[in-house]
Amino acid sequence: MTGASGVKEASTDFGHIVASSPLGVVTARSTADVRELVSFAGPHGLPVSARGAGQALYGQGQAHGGYVVDMSALDDVRCAAGERTLSAGAGALWRDVVRAALAAGLTPPVLPDHLGGSVGGLLSTGGFGGSSHRRGLVADWVRELEVVTGTGERLVCAADRRADLFHAVLAGLGQCALIVRATLALVPAPTHVRRYRLYHDAPGTYLTDQRRLARDGRFSHVAGQARPVLGGGWQYMIEAVVPYDGGPPADDEPLIGDLDHDPDTEEIADLSYAEYVHRLDRDERLLRATGEWDRPHPWLTLLLPEAAVASFVPAVLAEDAQRGLRCCGTVQLRPLSARTLRAPLLRRPEGELLCLLALMRTAPPAAPDVVRRMVAANRALYERARAVGGVLHPVGALPMAPGDWRAHFGPRWPELLRTKDQYDPRHILTRGYGLWT
């Protein structure tokens, strides 16, 4: 059991919006430690949540009146290069995974943009990355999981072994079991990439180009952002990456010559693959140095039908409630295809062509009223998204009642409830999401 400092740290998270008072924090150094805590907490009805890097945004990983399992010591990473797999403890960071995989000339097929999160935390929510338009979720490439259920039982599951549990854990928000270890598939890593940043003044041409690049496979990674410009408007930027070994592409024309971006503003750079996957490390260091890392982050992430994006996004960005994004935030727009997203519990809109919209805002320090207004704006925006067929990606700052969750999971709700009752019958795991009464 950790001391008062550990309890204080576990009482908040990266979101810095919701605070809790856990009874204690247990540092897990083995699966047996996790089993022992859960086996004790269950009969007493005490909440248990896992904490890796502490990057939840709205108290999802907290355990008010219960116990937090600090997974950070379960951080060993073992790469089996001959089998093209990698085994990582739940507390390992994705930068640890990248380091071990690249040492063998390999990489996970999908990586999160930010490598500072934990393996267990990301797999519990699914995990999107720059290659998701082609290869789905990070979680879609998990081959095997070692977990501890809400009854304190250690189980190993996979798509062909206890498949009900396997599919309930991946993108399952930690509701049925706590991930202790995951085995991931790997693919050969390129040595270098050429990165293109292509700017558009209008969302229509931006979305047309982004979808074209996502559909035809000329780039391995496709993402995008809306960026503020002087005068109050917004500019739309596609980031597209082509991998290579040896020499770079001899000619850019076949890759971007047929697009409708402004060629006078395009940015083209050659990077090592390691530089590219670590591209946000510098941003993290800067945010920590300026103190912005420790300010409230009322983020919201939605999955939208692509047909709704051209009108929905500009209208949102023009609202007073989103004005803070211009100076303290990032707007991500990521093309997705429903057929590549295989985790059953990841909810998605109807149709094949989708877009992820992430509003990543930072609130002013010591301004609780501002934070409350931002969270309220998230709720209003969520309702508007639902009206056009959008769904929530449940990683942001949005209060959700059990009725909201039933609507969110829709036809999957009865199945999730049955699996929850089987593997966590006392409903002690990860109560911070608020799925259950």
Side-chain angles (χ1 to χ4, degrees), residues 178-195:
L178 303 180
I179 297 172
V180 177
R181 174 169 292 280
T183 300
L184 311 171
L186 301 176
V187 296
T191 60
H192 292 81
V193 302
R194 174 162 285 187
R195 182 182 66 193

Side-chain angles (χ1 to χ4, degrees), residues 174-241:
Q175 294 302 305
C176 298
L178 303 180
I179 297 172
V180 177
R181 174 169 292 280
T183 300
L184 311 171
L186 301 176
V187 296
T191 60
H192 292 81
V193 302
R194 174 162 285 187
R195 182 182 66 193
Y196 299 84
R197 288 178 172 169
L198 312 173
Y199 295 88
H200 296 69
D201 292 328
T205 60
Y206 164 82
L207 289 168
T208 298
D209 279 357
Q210 189 181 61
R211 174 52 55 188
R212 181 184 300 167
L213 299 184
R215 183 182 62 245
D216 65 19
R218 71 182 87 173
F219 291 106
S220 62
H221 295 65
V222 179
Q225 293 182 9
R227 293 183 170 185
V229 295
L230 294 176
W234 290 82
Q235 185 180 58
Y236 297 84
M237 184 270 288
I238 294 173
E239 181 171 273
V241 165

Side-chain angles (χ1 to χ4, degrees), residues 97-132:
V97 170
V98 167
R99 185 182 305 112
L102 286 184
L106 301 168
T107 184
V110 186
L111 277 170
D113 295 338
H114 177 239
L115 301 181
S118 68
V119 167
L122 187 79
L123 297 181
S124 295
T125 60
F128 290 98
S131 58
S132 286

Side-chain angles (χ1 to χ4, degrees), residues 201-356:
D201 292 328
T205 60
Y206 164 82
L207 289 168
T208 298
D209 279 357
Q210 189 181 61
R211 174 52 55 188
R212 181 184 300 167
L213 299 184
R215 183 182 62 245
D216 65 19
R218 71 182 87 173
F219 291 106
S220 62
H221 295 65
V222 179
Q225 293 182 9
R227 293 183 170 185
V229 295
L230 294 176
W234 290 82
Q235 185 180 58
Y236 297 84
M237 184 270 288
I238 294 173
E239 181 171 273
V241 165
V242 60
Y244 65 88
D245 296 305
D251 187 3
D252 297 316
E253 180 68 19
L255 292 167
I256 62 173
D258 60 341
L259 303 179
D260 289 327
H261 66 289
D262 180 359
D264 292 332
T265 60
E266 66 189 28
E267 301 171 7
I268 303 174
D270 291 300
L271 309 168
S272 72
Y273 180 70
E275 286 180 294
Y276 172 69
V277 298
H278 284 280
R279 63 195 179 279
L280 294 188
D281 287 6
R282 180 181 175 277
D283 293 342
E284 178 181 337
R285 291 193 295 270
L286 181 62
L287 293 174
R288 289 183 182 276
T290 61
E292 193 169 336
W293 190 266
D294 298 315
R295 288 162 55 186
H297 300 102
W299 294 2
L300 179 69
T301 303
L302 302 167
L303 296 176
L304 301 169
E306 189 177 84
V309 174
S311 58
F312 187 88
V313 171
V316 168
L317 297 180
E319 295 177 349
D320 286 344
Q322 309 301 335
R323 188 169 48 197
L325 284 165
R326 299 188 63 83
C327 61
C328 295
T330 299
V331 180
Q332 286 192 352
L333 290 165
R334 192 184 301 278
L336 298 169
S337 295
R339 61 182 169 78
T340 70
L341 306 174
R342 299 188 296 275
L345 286 183
L346 180 88
R347 307 315 299 143
R348 68 210 72 173
E350 295 293 328
E352 172 61 22
L353 304 182
L354 313 176
C355 183
L356 181 145

